[in-house]
């Protein structure tokens, strides 16, 4: 017997910590003995969480899919009855089917993925195939966070930026799950608190991070926008905004045309004589100079923009600085106004605003780092206003979330905290232009038989001309992304796919391929209905969604509906890249990417999904996967990673480290055949620390901007002014008002676009709350994932099941007593869409107007390889049964700007149940394997003798 240690990257959640896997070799076989955090990994520095340490149990999960499976002839979808087939048969079947679709109508193939970490590859495959119908999980997760932040400051939280807790003095966290950005954030908060920083958590629930906050501020779900507008009101009213920062680095000084009769009403006034340089991001806006009392080109040397006032340009156009309009917008939004909406006392809001303002103003940091801004001014130091924020899905997953997140980004900007020490800091490849330059095709002609898509499947619209619609304004994508219904749906709308495909609205699909997404259970909003749709047939007896392919490592509620199941590997059995082209692990000081390298061979016949895509891409002769003669170009996925370049000779590939023939180049360079070896020798991580003068103020930092453009982290070199006022949104509003010279929305959507495409943030109650009888359903119901499980991923994990095998509905004792619900008793929780029977617990750690539970603990009996009588099936429950993807009037329960699923918006009531047991009940799924070793059966909750 001998032992060996291999390094790779964890994937028990999305944080990507470095791990060391200890293996034992015995009788020629390698088995995993234990997993520890890698102390040499920059992200987690040796720390490992319960999930990470339990990867060994994922490896031996009773739910592992180990062979390709085909649904048994004559069996119903959802019954989970399969027969094994070979990979050759599976590939032949897919090649024949997908080839036919591609040669006739590529949009009939849709590829939707869950929380995978290979979107650069899945996106490339979809584009090369030619289908617009591709997206990952973002529409159901936190697209509002990405879109609201990126359309305002050019960057966002988590992978693309975050709080600089090393230097912050005050840290304010809003709407963040108890384990979000798990180990790295825990390490940072721990050090921050030891240094004496003050931590305020604003959240309806006090668990996880909120439990260790110095102050917990409970808030009603979906009302954060009102709080943020009131805080902004106070910051402006008390004169606590950072005027020099706002004037120079935001568009607060830009003059907005305020003449309702003008077709340019609400757009920014421009200097017609200025050289715009880049028509996409013209630098031709005007300031009203306080020195000369007249208009000047923005950032004219020695000028100083007015932030308040009303002016008339020489040719007679009435204008106002954008900041004036923002101040007018928030003027009525007093703390007293917000108190009635949020449940937070006005005095608390006022105190918090004051604390943020004076911490930013009076505790400034000066770092002796010289830098030059993009207008040529030299700065001898970098200034920091040490107030840091962090927020995530609690703000995003509401139908009013886009404007809420924009409100947060604006508050952060007024405090002068963007890409400065102690505030928010970007991570490469961000910041990017507002909006980023990636675009989808703009009409159905972008989808052609036998050709790649004429653009990206997902992009960043900057005006109505960028929408992906036909001549009548109808959507081209199956999820209606980038249409007038959801113009800025930058992550797609995974939650619309099944419903739309089932309805044939806007058209029917042929083949739906799902990777790592449990659409028949917790990755959907109306689970019972979606399950019915997946199994529904048309008048001719054919399934309305004709062919369903599921690729996953584990048997689940979703795999039971598949026509074809492709068994994926675990993260310990495959190569993977956390690519700079996708979501890398960059740090504030420079780009960083990482890889996974297999530590054990695949189980059974499992094949990494990446290999499936490379194989299919080669068989279908998609241009990126074949050479000039149409022959297969890449041996396998590792070969693809080494040799693929974004364009021939670009020197840019999926991995940024050790490029060039001898591995001596970083970020750009020719393919290096030994690149994987170099990652293996370096803890699976590549880190490129930039010079200190490139690490701050990157929206406007000349040195950084030129370097980033050379390295193709950015396409264009224009400064990225913060959009306090969003001209992008105003363009859509003008189109809805019939004043935009180009595209206009269909009549039935004009009012909706006009209302929600407000260039300034505003608060409105979530759409579901507006469509609910709040007297009858007064309580907000939300979920979060627990610290010890990543959504549904770990329900089959023997060690983690000892922590969570079922869930409760947590209810404030005051609310519970008023409803007659006992601690530990069974209760009904009911929304206008249905009801669920579950067990409740009294908890002071939730505000009285909210009930909550953990996400995805409840399971269909027999799913995930568990015994039908396992607690997950008999005591655990799923809140998704109470949520609808469609609201009365047939509108989608999504944010009207981005399409983000409003799955934290449901309103419920609770009352005692007379009977016990979880309801609704679902049929028992058969096991995918005929027999399991006794010990695996035991792990799955079956008795050892069964
Ligand atoms: S936080 Fe835990 S589960 Fe997530 S990547 Fe790190 S060790 Fe793995």
């Amino acid at each position: 017997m001998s032992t060996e240690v291999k390094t790779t990257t964890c994937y028990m959640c999305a944080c990507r910590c470095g791990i060391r896997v200890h293996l034992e070799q015995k009788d020629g076989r390698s088995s995993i003995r234990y997993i520890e955090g890698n102390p040499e990994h920059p992200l987690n520095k040796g720390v490992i969480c319960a999930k990470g340490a339990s990867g060994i149990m994922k490896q031996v999960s009773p739910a592992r899919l180990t062979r390709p499976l085909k649904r048994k002839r004559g069996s119903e979808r959802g019954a989970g009855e399969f027969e094994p087939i070979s990979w050759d048969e599976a590939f032949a079947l897919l090649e024949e089917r997908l080839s036919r679709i591609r040669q006739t109508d590529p949009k009939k193939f849709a590829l939707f993925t869950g929380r995978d970490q290979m979107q650069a590859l899945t996106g490339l495959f979809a584009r090369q195939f030619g289908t617009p119908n591709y997206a990952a999980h973002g529409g159901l997760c936190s697209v509002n966070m990405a879109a609201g932040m990126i359309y305002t400051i050019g960057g966002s939280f988590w992978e693309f930026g975050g709080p600089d807790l090393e230097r912050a003095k005050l840290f304010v966290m809003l709407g963040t799950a108890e384990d979000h950005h798990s180990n790295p954030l825990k390490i940072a908060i721990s050090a921050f608190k030891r240094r004496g920083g003050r931590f305020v958590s604003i959240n309806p629930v006090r668990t996880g991070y909120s439990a260790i906050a110095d102050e917990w501020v409970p808030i009603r779900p979906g009302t954060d926008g009102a709080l943020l507008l009131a805080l902004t009101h106070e910051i402006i009213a008390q004169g606590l905004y950072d005027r020099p920062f706002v004037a120079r680095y935001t568009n607060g000084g830009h003059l907005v045309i305020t003449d309702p009769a003008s077709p340019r009403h609400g757009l920014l006034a421009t200097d017609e004589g200025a050289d715009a340089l880049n028509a996409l991001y013209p630098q031709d806006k005007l300031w009203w100079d306080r020195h000369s009392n007249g208009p000047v080109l923005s950032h004219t040397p020695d000028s100083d923009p007015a932030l308040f006032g009303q002016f008339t340009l020489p040719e007679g156009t009435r204008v106002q600085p954008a900041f004036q309009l923002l101040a007018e917008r928030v003027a009525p939004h007093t703390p007293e106004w917000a108190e009635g909406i949020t449940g937070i006392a006005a005095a608390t809001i006022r105190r918090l605003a004051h604390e943020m303002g004076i911490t930013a103003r009076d505790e400034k940091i000066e770092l002796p780092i010289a830098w030059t801004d993009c207008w040529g001014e030299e700065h001898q130091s970098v200034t920091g206003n040490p107030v840091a924020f962090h927020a995530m899905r609690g703000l995003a997953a509401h139908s009013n979330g886009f404007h809420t997140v924009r409100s947060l980004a604006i508050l952060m900007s007024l405090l002068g905290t963007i890409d400065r020490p102690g505030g928010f800091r970007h991570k490469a490849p961000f910041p990017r232009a507002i909006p980023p330059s990636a675009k989808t095709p703009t009409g159905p002609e972008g989808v052609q038989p036998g050709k790649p898509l004429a653009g990206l499947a997902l992009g960043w619209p900057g005006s109505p001309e960028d929408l992906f619609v036909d001549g009548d304004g109808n959507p081209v994508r199956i999820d209606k992304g980038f249409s007038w219904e959801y113009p800025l749906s930058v992550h797609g709308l995974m939650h619309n796919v099944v419903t739309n495909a089932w309805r044939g609205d806007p058209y029917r699909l042929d083949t739906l391929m799902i990777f790592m997404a449990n659409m028949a259970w917790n990755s959907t909003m109306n689970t019972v209905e979606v399950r019915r749709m997946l199994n529904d047939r048309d008048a001719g007896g054919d399934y309305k969604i004709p062919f369903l392919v599921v690729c996953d490592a584990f048997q689940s509620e979703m795999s039971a509906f598949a026509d074809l199941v492709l068994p994926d590997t675990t993260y310990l059995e495959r190569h993977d890249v956390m690519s700079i082209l996708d979501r890398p692990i960059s740090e504030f000081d420079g780009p960083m990417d990482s890889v996974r390298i297999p530590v054990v061979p695949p189980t059974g016949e499992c094949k990494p999904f990446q290999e499936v895509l490379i194989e299919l891409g080669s068989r279908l002769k998609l241009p990126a996967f074949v050479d000039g003669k149409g022959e297969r170009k890449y041996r396998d996925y590792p070969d693809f990673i080494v040799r693929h370049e974004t364009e021939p000779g670009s020197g840019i590939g999926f991995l940024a480290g050790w490029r060039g023939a001898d591995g001596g180049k970083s970020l750009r360079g020719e393919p290096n055949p030994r690149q994987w070896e170099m990652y293996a020798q370096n803890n699976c991580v590549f880190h490129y620390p930039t010079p200190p003068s490139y690490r701050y103020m990157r929206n406007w930092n000349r040195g950084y901007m030129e370097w980033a453009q050379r390295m193709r982290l950015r396409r264009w070199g224009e400064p990225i002014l913060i959009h306090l006022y969003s001209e992008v949104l105003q363009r859509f509003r003008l189109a809805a008002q019939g004043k935009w010279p180009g595209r206009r929305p269909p009549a039935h959507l004009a009012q909706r676009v006009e209302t929600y495409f407000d260039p300034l943030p505003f608060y409105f109650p979530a759409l579901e709350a507006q469509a609910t009888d709040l007297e009858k359903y007064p309580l907000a119901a939300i979920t979060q994932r627990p610290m010890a499980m990543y959504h549904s991923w770990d329900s089959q994990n023997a060690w983690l099941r000892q922590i969570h095998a079922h869930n409760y509905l947590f209810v404030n004792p005051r609310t519970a007593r008023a409803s007659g619900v006992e601690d530990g008793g069974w209760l009904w929780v009911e929304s206008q869409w249905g009801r669920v029977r579950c067990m409740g617990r009294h908890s002071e750690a939730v505000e009285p107007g909210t009930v909550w539970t953990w996400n995805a603990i409840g399971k269909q009996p027999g799913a995930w390889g568990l015994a039908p009588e396992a607690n997950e099936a008999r005591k655990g429950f799923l809140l998704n049964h109470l949520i609808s993807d469609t609201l009365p009037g047939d509108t989608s329960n999504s944010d009207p700007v981005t399409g983000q699923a409003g799955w934290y918006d449901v309103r419920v009531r609770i009352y005692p149940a007379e009977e016990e047991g979880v309801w609704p009940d679902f049929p028992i799924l058969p096991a995918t394997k005929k027999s399991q070793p006794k010990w695996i059966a035991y792990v799955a909750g079956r008795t050892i003798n069964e």
Side-chain angles (χ1 to χ4, degrees):
M1 184 185 86
S2 64
T3 58
E4 189 186 3
V5 181
K6 291 184 178 175
T7 57
T8 188
T9 303
C10 184
Y11 196 12
M12 292 294 285
C13 83
C15 288
R16 304 156 298 176
C17 298
I19 49 173
R20 286 177 175 170
V21 183
H22 293 250
L23 299 138
E24 180 184 275
Q25 270 87 35
K26 203 172 171 187
D27 304 329
R29 284 191 62 235
S30 205
S31 60
I32 303 169
R33 301 310 300 162
Y34 69 97
I35 298 172
E36 63 174 348
N38 182 350
E40 291 173 18
H41 196 282
L43 219 59
N44 57 315
K45 303 173 180 73
V47 174
I48 195 159
C49 74
K51 302 181 292 269
S54 304
I56 188 169
M57 285 292 129
K58 186 169 227 165
Q59 196 58 22
V60 296
S61 157
R64 287 294 300 268
L65 293 162
T66 55
R67 302 177 71 178
L69 302 169
K70 200 169 149 185
R71 187 163 51 81
K72 254 190 193 152
R73 195 181 292 273
S75 77
E76 283 296 307
R77 280 187 186 163
E81 293 176 22
F82 296 102
E83 52 199 13
I85 60 169
S86 70
W87 274 108
D88 281 347
E89 286 174 274
F91 279 127
L93 193 160
L94 283 170
E95 182 183 348
E96 188 278 321
R97 191 162 195 121
L98 296 187
S99 176
R100 176 172 44 77
I101 297 172
R102 187 165 190 264
Q103 294 310 325
T104 51
D105 189 356
K107 68 177 183 299
K108 299 274 183 175
F109 168 65
L111 169 61
F112 281 78
T113 75
R115 197 25 174 127
D116 65 288
Q117 295 181 334
M118 58 180 87
Q119 289 165 34
L121 176 65
T122 51
L124 176 74
F125 180 86
R127 184 182 184 186
Q128 292 285 311
F129 186 89
T131 180
N133 294 322
Y134 160 77
H137 75 296
L140 191 70
C141 180
S142 289
V143 65
N144 273 336
M145 184 54 64
M149 294 284 283
I150 291 172
Y151 273 97
T152 306
I153 65 168
S156 185
F157 284 117
W158 197 16
E159 285 112 325
F160 303 137
D164 178 7
L165 293 184
E166 214 178 305
R167 294 202 174 86
K169 305 265 172 64
L170 174 64
F171 176 41
V172 182
M173 180 184 260
L174 300 104
T176 306
E178 58 186 54
D179 77 322
H180 173 75
H181 197 20
S182 197
N183 288 342
L185 195 51
K186 286 173 201 157
I187 295 167
I189 291 177
S190 165
F192 170 78
K193 288 198 64 159
R194 280 175 218 276
R195 275 194 304 276
R198 195 170 115 76
F199 173 21
V200 177
S201 178
I202 300 168
N203 199 312
V205 179
R206 186 177 196 176
T207 62
Y209 298 125
S210 299
I212 59 158
D214 298 297
E215 181 177 359
W216 172 48
V217 182
I219 185 170
R220 294 179 189 140
T223 67
D224 306 77
L227 170 68
L228 292 160
L229 292 176
L231 290 168
T232 305
H233 165 102
E234 282 296 293
I235 294 294
I236 294 177
Q238 296 179 29
L240 289 171
Y241 58 95
D242 184 334
R243 190 191 188 282
F245 184 89
V246 169
R248 192 163 182 83
Y249 301 118
T250 79
N251 70 358
H254 282 176
L255 298 175
V256 181
I257 296 169
T258 48
D259 177 359
S262 165
R264 289 182 50 77
H265 174 64
L267 297 180
L268 300 179
T270 57
D271 178 347
E272 300 301 325
D275 184 355
L277 296 175
N278 178 355
L280 286 175
Y281 305 101
Q283 304 294 306
D284 58 357
K285 308 301 184 300
L286 292 175
W287 280 350
W288 192 269
D289 178 26
R290 295 206 295 179
H291 301 318
S292 60
N293 195 26
V296 294
L297 188 64
S298 120
H299 296 88
T300 296
D302 301 323
S303 62
D304 181 20
L307 296 183
F308 291 100
Q310 183 165 350
F311 309 101
T312 305
L313 296 179
E315 85 285 4
T317 306
R318 287 200 301 276
V319 293
Q320 288 182 284
F323 192 81
Q324 166 78 41
L325 299 178
L326 175 66
E328 287 175 14
R329 168 57 52 88
V330 298
H333 298 325
T334 60
E336 284 72 19
W337 166 81
E339 176 176 332
I341 298 168
T342 62
I344 303 172
T348 304
I349 298 173
R350 203 163 265 122
R351 172 174 58 77
L352 288 173
H354 189 254
E355 184 179 0
M356 291 172 194
I358 59 165
T359 305
R361 185 192 67 189
D362 298 345
E363 302 197 37
K364 283 196 189 302
I365 301 165
E366 290 292 333
L367 300 183
I369 299 172
W371 64 288
T372 305
D373 72 28
C374 55
W375 301 283
E377 186 169 327
E378 293 178 1
H379 303 260
Q380 293 314 309
S381 63
V382 171
T383 305
N385 297 352
V387 181
F389 292 81
H390 190 72
M392 205 28 75
R393 198 178 308 116
L395 260 65
H398 301 281
S399 55
N400 59 9
F402 175 80
H403 279 285
T404 297
V405 173
R406 240 177 78 66
S407 304
L408 171 63
I410 287 172
L411 174 65
M412 291 160 57
S413 303
L414 263 52
L415 291 166
T417 64
I418 305 302
D419 213 31
R420 289 174 121 186
F424 169 88
R425 291 180 65 194
H426 293 295
K427 298 176 184 175
F430 284 81
R432 283 193 160 153
I434 302 174
S437 51
K439 298 284 183 274
T440 67
T442 55
E445 63 283 355
V447 184
Q448 295 289 341
K451 291 202 173 141
L453 192 68
L456 297 168
L458 302 170
W460 297 84
S463 77
E465 277 54 58
D466 292 333
L467 292 181
F468 200 178
V469 291
D470 68 16
D472 297 323
N474 298 315
V476 177
R477 286 176 56 105
I478 185 74
D479 60 2
K480 304 192 181 182
F482 307 103
S483 72
W484 287 101
E485 275 189 74
Y486 322 102
L488 308 187
S489 48
V490 297
H491 286 176
L493 296 93
M494 180 188 191
H495 51 291
N496 277 3
V497 172
V498 172
T499 304
N500 290 3
W502 172 76
R503 286 180 176 169
D505 175 20
Y507 46 79
R508 298 271 293 268
L509 289 177
D510 179 299
T511 295
L512 174 58
M513 183 181 272
I514 300 286
F515 173 52
M516 272 181 80
N518 202 354
M519 304 289 286
W521 202 249
N522 57 289
S523 295
T524 198
M525 290 170 83
N526 51 349
T527 309
V528 174
E529 273 300 291
V530 163
R531 292 166 64 89
R532 190 180 63 75
M533 292 172 190
L534 288 170
N535 203 15
D536 195 24
R537 296 171 190 266
D538 60 21
D542 297 322
Y543 282 118
K544 289 192 171 176
I545 302 174
F547 197 63
L548 205 47
V549 184
V550 173
C551 184
D552 210 308
F554 304 104
Q555 179 253 19
S556 70
E557 291 86 353
M558 184 64 208
S559 66
F561 284 85
D563 297 304
L564 178 66
V565 176
L566 306 176
D568 191 19
T569 54
T570 68
Y571 67 105
L572 297 171
E573 297 169 343
R574 68 168 178 239
H575 290 89
D576 247 339
V577 297
M578 275 50 74
S579 168
I580 204 88
L581 303 181
D582 189 346
R583 297 177 177 218
I585 60 167
S586 295
E587 289 284 5
F588 299 142
D589 65 3
M592 186 154 82
D593 63 16
S594 62
V595 301
R596 293 192 180 94
I597 297 179
V599 297
V600 285
T603 300
E605 295 174 28
C606 291
K607 198 180 274 297
F609 187 55
Q610 296 100 325
E611 297 290 1
V612 171
L613 292 182
I614 301 287
E615 178 71 30
L616 284 176
S618 308
R619 286 179 181 237
L620 297 170
K621 301 196 185 307
L622 307 186
F625 299 93
V626 292
D627 62 20
K629 295 183 193 144
E631 301 295 324
R632 181 182 184 123
K633 193 165 170 187
Y634 303 109
R635 190 178 58 248
D636 52 20
Y637 176 66
D639 184 38
F640 167 84
I641 288 298
V642 167
R643 292 201 291 125
H644 174 77
E645 293 178 279
T646 51
E647 296 152 34
S650 71
I652 297 172
F654 275 49
L655 289 174
W658 297 285
R659 301 194 67 82
D662 63 356
K665 295 182 183 169
S666 298
L667 296 154
R668 288 192 79 167
E670 315 78 66
N672 168 13
R674 295 187 56 232
Q675 200 173 23
W676 283 103
E677 279 173 55
M678 299 311 296
Y679 275 87
Q681 288 166 19
N682 287 276
N683 293 300
C684 296
V685 176
F686 165 73
H687 185 195
Y688 185 87
T690 53
S693 63
Y694 290 8
R695 294 180 187 175
Y696 299 93
M697 304 296 281
R698 280 164 284 192
N699 295 43
W700 323 276
N701 182 324
R702 176 182 283 175
Y704 171 78
M705 289 159 62
E706 290 174 355
W707 174 81
Q709 217 180 344
R710 277 200 307 281
M711 293 300 139
R712 298 274 192 98
L713 296 176
R714 295 185 61 194
R715 182 153 180 207
W716 308 110
E718 279 70 20
I720 306 164
L721 277 191
I722 292 167
H723 285 204
L724 301 184
Y725 183 91
S726 175
E727 197 180 34
V728 171
L729 296 184
Q730 180 64 11
R731 290 175 192 146
F732 286 89
R733 175 175 266 188
L734 285 177
Q737 293 169 339
K739 295 178 180 171
W740 183 250
R743 283 172 157 174
R744 294 178 183 181
H748 70 284
L749 291 170
Q751 181 65 53
R752 173 180 158 110
V753 174
E754 182 177 3
T755 302
Y756 296 108
F757 277 73
D758 192 317
L760 291 164
F762 73 110
Y763 170 76
F764 58 95
L767 301 182
E768 172 140 11
Q770 293 181 38
T772 302
D773 177 351
L774 296 177
E775 294 279 315
K776 186 171 179 188
Y777 300 110
L779 301 171
I782 56 173
T783 62
Q784 65 175 323
R785 58 171 185 255
M787 210 174 289
M789 285 190 178
Y790 195 73
H791 299 296
S792 62
W793 287 8
D794 299 303
S795 314
Q796 87 295 33
N797 189 301
W799 290 352
L800 297 174
R801 288 187 67 228
Q802 294 175 44
I803 303 173
H804 301 289
H806 68 279
N807 53 328
Y808 295 98
L809 190 76
F810 293 104
V811 187
N812 185 286
R814 202 155 24 112
T815 311
R817 278 194 292 273
S819 309
V821 166
E822 288 181 11
D823 191 17
W826 287 88
L827 68 135
W828 288 105
V829 49
E830 177 187 312
S831 75
Q832 62 179 318
W833 313 110
R835 63 180 191 163
V836 168
R837 192 166 55 211
C838 61
M839 286 193 287
R841 292 307 303 262
H842 294 190
S843 167
E844 296 283 356
V846 55
E847 70 95 23
T850 302
V851 295
W852 77 277
T853 188
W854 284 311
N855 179 34
I857 301 289
K859 292 281 172 284
Q860 181 174 357
W864 295 85
L866 299 178
E869 65 279 7
N871 278 353
E872 286 84 348
R874 297 301 175 206
K875 290 177 161 182
F877 72 100
L878 192 68
L879 202 75
N880 301 48
H881 299 314
L882 303 180
I883 304 171
S884 174
D885 61 2
T886 309
L887 294 174
D890 215 20
T891 49
S892 172
N893 187 7
S894 307
D895 190 302
V897 178
T898 62
Q900 158 93 52
W903 60 301
Y904 283 4
D905 287 337
V906 71
R907 293 290 189 271
V908 301
R909 64 181 179 136
I910 55 173
Y911 48 93
E914 283 169 8
E915 284 176 71
E916 298 189 349
V918 167
W919 194 92
D921 211 357
F922 292 87
I924 296 171
L925 281 180
T928 45
K929 299 187 196 85
K930 282 218 170 65
S931 65
Q932 290 176 329
K934 280 184 180 170
W935 68 276
I936 288 187
Y938 180 72
V939 158
R942 297 178 172 89
T943 61
I944 198 79
N945 296 320
E946 197 179 333

